[in-house]
Amino acid sequence: MKSEAFPSIVRLPLEVLEVFIDFSSVSTQLSISRVSRLFNSLTLRALYRNISLYSPAVVVACCQTLASNRNAATTVRSFVISYNHYSPALLASYYSIIKKALQSLNNLHTLKLLVNDPYFVTLLSRCNFSRLRHFECYLTPSTPLIEFLNRHSRIYYLQVSPNENTTESLPDDGSGSNTLPALELPRLQYFSGNVQNVSFLGTTNTLRAAILSWNAMETDPDMAFQALQRSCCDSLNLLSCRRRGWNQDLIESISIRLPDLVSLLISNVLLVDEPLSEDYLQAIKAYLPRFTQLQRLHIVCIDYFEMGDISSPIDKELSIVTTWGAACPSLAEISLPHSKGLCWYKIADNVWIPDPKHTLGGQWLYDTVVLKRHPGWKTIVDGLNDSPPSSSAGIVNSSAYTNTIAVVRRHLGGLLKKEGTEQKSTTYISSTDPGALSGDLSSDTSDHEESRER
């Protein structure tokens, strides 16, 4: 009778118990694991589902557990090793225990080896993860690494080292002929790495996003974009590039080879920062009409030595954004160099406003609405309705855009309400103040009337 009045917690569905355990702290989970075999098996999933290791000592302790505990190893879905320092004095047994642990992870979905240790590539030689989808490492492409990747055809996200590989011969004509095998990942959608690695991607992938970097070696940008054009021109939507200089030639090559991009991000790494030149602005304006569906353009400057603090007047940014928007009507979002993170959004036909959540954008928006300084301020007010503009204006009907417009609309609604109240108050005072209607009254009468009004 007593047990029926107070049912045991073990009678709850296992899914409910797992939710309770997932929301518990690690120390609580460790305590729960000692209650019974049932709770031990349930807490194993929560404790070992996602593993992140941030020092060699922790790596050794955890890998020893995984190598000796099969139940714990089979619950691992994400395995991350990440630490900054690399010591060449690590013994062979260190890599041996990691390799043994990796080979026991049969249900692994995500693997990240974020250590600048070239010896880590040897750990992958005999590893096969039938469910691997996501792989990140700081290894440069080599024959062992590409052979490992080609064994895992389900990978859709790949990140390799942003640095160049100087140990093996490289293609010099963009044809892809080199000593390294081609990378055959038919489900690959996201790639991040050095531009040198683009020639290894092969022609069977359907890339949606590529993040490329140039570091020590200068590589002809047109060669890389030509390779992307051959392999994934129809599927590529986002391209992000990081390179020294202002990269005017890079943007020109992209506009020719990949005109169907939706998002373009350019990071200019500058040793000595400098303001935008008129020639640069005009050059970008000339390249933009080649893009057929570009909607987001972000150009940022990275001051390598952080010696300068260059800022751009917001009214000048408005002029630049309006000019570029006219050159590429599909643009809906623009971020300019030296803008302190400010982003501009198009809300109507080439009518742009800054992000109201940004400090500079919010202040400018307030001054614009109250003082009516924006040439299209009426369009701004009328255009902020509940539904986004039509696709003909170059705006994407996305939740992110809708949320941004909702914030702008709320800001403008409050400002316009405040402005209307002030105007009504001014009109009432002007109509009832006798001093404003008759200039002959004495100062005593004016003082009396002002007091009466108050």
Side-chain angles (χ1 to χ4, degrees):
M1 178 65 67
K2 186 176 181 180
S3 60
E4 293 178 357
F6 300 97
S8 173
I9 190 174
V10 297
R11 297 185 181 181
L12 292 174
L14 295 181
E15 294 80 2
V16 176
L17 295 177
E18 286 185 335
V19 172
F20 292 159
I21 294 173
D22 287 339
F23 279 95
S24 303
S25 62
V26 174
S27 59
T28 302
Q29 291 174 354
L30 291 174
S31 300
I32 295 174
S33 66
R34 302 186 184 97
V35 173
S36 65
R37 291 183 179 181
L38 172 63
F39 283 102
N40 182 270
S41 62
L42 292 176
T43 52
L44 272 181
R45 301 178 189 180
L47 288 170
Y48 289 94
R49 184 184 296 116
N50 300 307
I51 297 178
S52 298
L53 312 174
Y54 297 106
S55 70
V58 176
V59 169
V60 171
C62 181
C63 288
Q64 286 177 341
T65 301
L66 295 175
S68 60
N69 190 334
R70 181 184 178 128
N71 292 333
T74 55
T75 62
V76 177
R77 299 295 182 269
S78 174
F79 188 76
V80 180
I81 298 179
S82 176
Y83 50 85
N84 295 327
H85 59 281
Y86 158 61
S87 174
L90 292 173
L91 301 177
S93 58
Y94 173 76
Y95 301 99
S96 177
I97 190 62
I98 298 177
K99 186 173 184 179
K100 188 175 181 180
L102 288 175
Q103 292 175 351
S104 65
L105 306 180
N106 299 325
N107 297 316
L108 195 64
H109 291 177
T110 300
L111 177 60
K112 301 181 183 181
L113 303 177
L114 307 180
V115 182
N116 290 302
D117 187 345
Y119 200 75
F120 264 54
V121 72
T122 63
L123 308 179
L124 306 173
S125 59
R126 296 184 180 180
C127 291
N128 279 295
F129 309 109
S130 60
R131 301 183 180 182
L132 188 63
R133 306 288 189 274
H134 186 124
F135 179 73
E136 297 181 26
C137 69
Y138 288 163
L139 301 169
T140 57
S142 59
T143 300
L145 178 61
I146 294 180
E147 289 177 351
F148 165 79
L149 294 173
N150 287 341
R151 291 198 302 269
H152 301 83
S153 59
R154 294 188 177 185
I155 292 178
Y156 73 90
Y157 185 99
L158 173 62
Q159 174 184 321
V160 295
S161 173
N163 302 317
E164 293 83 355
N165 184 358
T166 58
T167 60
E168 304 196 37
S169 60
L170 304 171
D172 55 1
D173 57 356
S175 62
S177 58
N178 50 77
T179 59
L180 295 179
L183 186 64
E184 302 296 338
L185 296 177
R187 301 187 183 184
L188 185 64
Q189 297 185 20
Y190 306 95
F191 172 79
S192 176
N194 190 271
V195 68
Q196 181 191 79
N197 307 324
V198 173
S199 59
F200 308 140
L201 291 179
T203 58
T204 61
N205 60 76
T206 55
L207 273 183
R208 297 177 57 189
I211 303 174
L212 308 179
S213 61
W214 284 256
N215 282 330
M217 301 173 61
E218 281 294 337
T219 306
D220 183 9
D222 189 66
M223 185 185 303
F225 302 138
Q226 187 176 1
L228 287 176
Q229 184 184 29
R230 290 196 303 265
S231 61
C232 55
C233 179
D234 296 333
S235 60
L236 191 64
N237 291 327
L238 182 147
L239 178 63
S240 176
C241 300
R242 176 188 172 103
R243 182 171 174 250
R244 291 193 300 270
W246 282 99
N247 297 313
Q248 185 174 322
D249 59 332
L250 188 146
I251 300 177
E252 180 181 13
S253 179
I254 295 174
S255 67
I256 297 173
R257 300 292 183 183
L258 304 169
D260 297 330
L261 287 175
V262 176
S263 301
L264 177 60
L265 295 83
I266 304 295
S267 297
N268 303 320
V269 182
L270 304 175
L271 298 180
V272 179
D273 201 0
E274 57 183 351
L276 291 171
S277 66
E278 188 63 28
D279 293 340
Y280 179 82
L281 298 175
Q282 293 300 322
I284 303 301
K285 176 186 175 182
Y287 304 148
L288 286 176
R290 299 172 183 170
F291 293 100
T292 59
Q293 53 185 9
L294 185 65
Q295 296 169 4
R296 301 177 186 87
L297 175 62
H298 292 256
I299 303 178
V300 299
C301 288
I302 301 175
D303 188 357
Y304 193 80
F305 293 108
E306 299 182 353
M307 298 178 62
D309 186 17
I310 300 176
S311 59
S312 178
I314 195 167
D315 289 329
K316 181 180 179 181
E317 287 195 10
L318 173 62
S319 176
I320 297 172
V321 167
T322 304
T323 302
W324 288 3
C328 183
S330 61
L331 276 173
E333 181 178 323
I334 298 178
S335 181
L336 299 173
H338 311 133
S339 62
K340 310 295 185 183
L342 178 64
C343 189
W344 291 81
Y345 299 96
K346 181 167 69 173
I347 63 169
D349 187 15
N350 208 26
V351 176
W352 295 81
I353 60 171
D355 185 359
K357 292 176 287 186
H358 193 281
T359 303
L360 298 176
Q363 182 62 42
W364 183 90
L365 198 60
Y366 177 86
D367 295 339
T368 296
V369 173
V370 174
L371 303 179
K372 303 179 183 178
R373 294 189 301 110
H374 195 292
W377 81 275
K378 181 64 175 174
T379 307
I380 293 177
V381 177
D382 295 340
L384 293 175
N385 46 37
D386 292 335
S387 59
S390 62
S391 57
S392 61
I395 305 296
V396 184
N397 293 327
S398 63
S399 59
Y401 175 81
T402 304
N403 292 338
T404 302
I405 293 302
V407 173
V408 177
R409 187 170 182 267
R410 186 165 60 251
H411 277 251
L412 288 179
L415 295 175
L416 291 174
K417 183 177 181 181
K418 178 180 178 181
E419 179 192 14
T421 302
E422 291 177 351
Q423 288 180 347
K424 289 181 179 180
S425 176
T426 304
T427 304
Y428 173 77
I429 293 176
S430 298
S431 62
T432 56
D433 186 357
L437 300 175
S438 175
D440 308 4
L441 298 178
S442 62
S443 58
D444 292 339
T445 306
S446 298
D447 293 340
H448 174 72
E449 292 295 335
E450 289 176 4
S451 176
R452 183 173 62 83
E453 271 302 316
R454 288 196 294 270

